[in-house]
Amino acid sequence: MTLEEIHGQEPVPESSDRMQGAGKALHELLVAAQRRGGLTAGVYESAKLMNVDPDKVAFCVLAAAEEDEGDIALQIHFTLIQAFCCDNDIDIVRLHDIPKLADIVGPSEESGEPRDLHCILITNPNEDAWKDPALEKLNLFCEESRNVNDWVPTITLPE
């Protein structure tokens, strides 16, 4: 007997359309958030923001290349960020393609140097909930993933 059978849930098949739709929505969300100044990049910067004002965080992206999987310190940071996001009802996804993410997000506006893209937070500009169709699609994708016990789903960005 599987966990889905115990809880009466049918497993949702991972279709490529669903994953592509989530990847496209994430791309749109990152572009929109950067345009309006609602993007925080970096593990340390993200942790500071979540500590000061977690209610402003609308979405979290954790990105790690294959070579980062063996970085114990980074994995500990990811575990803590995931726990914080779960405690504060912040949807979270993982990516494995940092170069594509860097193409979308670009270098730091202040220094022009490459950013730490291991953690990216999408924030709300004010108390009112920021409504974005891409954010709503990603929230639905995360909810569907949680229904099949995939608490931090992995997304692939489009080409």
Side-chain angles (χ1 to χ4, degrees):
M1 182 172 269
T2 66
L3 188 59
E4 288 83 12
E5 291 170 339
I6 292 171
H7 292 287
Q9 298 172 344
E10 290 297 317
V12 176
E14 284 297 319
S15 70
S16 62
D17 290 342
R18 182 172 173 262
M19 292 299 265
Q20 287 176 341
K24 186 176 181 222
L26 180 60
H27 183 276
E28 293 169 6
L29 180 63
L30 290 168
V31 170
Q34 183 160 8
R35 197 175 313 128
R36 66 174 179 73
L39 191 135
T40 300
V43 173
Y44 179 70
E45 293 81 1
S46 297
K48 282 194 319 188
L49 176 65
M50 287 190 289
N51 188 42
V52 172
D53 197 359
D55 294 333
K56 279 195 170 185
V57 179
F59 199 78
C60 179
V61 178
L62 296 178
E66 235 176 83
E67 61 268 11
D68 294 327
E69 295 299 323
D71 184 343
I72 301 298
L74 183 62
Q75 297 308 317
I76 290 170
H77 286 297
F78 280 4
T79 300
L80 294 172
I81 290 168
Q82 288 174 26
F84 189 88
C85 288
C86 288
D87 284 348
N88 289 281
D89 296 323
I90 300 167
D91 285 326
I92 183 170
V93 295
R94 288 193 74 143
L95 289 177
H96 292 296
D97 197 345
I98 291 181
K100 276 187 197 173
L101 187 58
D103 289 343
I104 297 167
V105 175
S108 172
E109 292 175 9
E110 297 87 39
S111 67
E113 293 185 19
R115 303 186 202 203
D116 169 15
L117 298 177
H118 289 108
C119 182
I120 295 179
L121 298 180
I122 310 299
T123 56
N124 286 325
N126 55 34
E127 294 299 317
D128 296 331
W130 173 56
K131 295 297 178 199
D132 182 279
L135 179 61
E136 291 175 11
K137 284 180 192 174
L138 285 168
N139 288 336
L140 180 61
F141 174 81
C142 289
E143 183 179 333
E144 289 171 352
S145 295
R146 283 190 301 272
N147 287 339
V148 293
N149 295 317
D150 186 4
W151 296 96
V152 183
T154 300
I155 291 182
T156 303
L157 290 169
E159 296 298 321

